[in-house]
Amino acid sequence: MKTVLKTNDAVTISWLVAELAARGVEAVVLDSHASIVEGSLGILPRRVMVADEDYREAHQLLASARQDLGGL
């Protein structure tokens, strides 16, 4: 598995996971429990992971969104 995104932004994570699912790409969010342990302060980033063979598609989706939105 490869990391597509590492962030504290729950909205961005939710959006990315939903967009990937719509394209048939399964994503896994890691480190969610660690952020709960630290008191939900948002200090510890979560990682969105995809299978190696889906990484290129996921990375292109994220890069396109960042370009369209001027950062993400």
Side-chain angles (χ1 to χ4, degrees):
M1 294 199 93
K2 291 187 178 184
T3 303
V4 178
L5 178 67
K6 186 175 182 180
T7 184
N8 298 341
D9 187 343
V11 173
T12 301
I13 291 170
S14 178
W15 170 83
L16 181 57
V17 170
E19 285 295 317
L20 290 170
R23 290 166 172 74
V25 175
E26 183 179 353
V28 177
V29 179
L30 299 181
D31 306 322
S32 294
H33 297 296
S35 86
I36 292 169
V37 170
E38 53 107 294
S40 298
L41 297 173
I43 296 170
L44 298 174
R46 294 178 203 122
R47 294 175 289 158
V48 178
M49 309 287 289
V50 296
D52 292 348
E53 59 269 13
D54 294 325
Y55 177 77
R56 185 174 182 173
E57 182 178 358
H59 181 71
Q60 288 176 341
L61 170 66
L62 187 57
S64 177
R66 283 181 169 152
Q67 183 177 9
D68 291 347
L69 299 174
L72 181 70

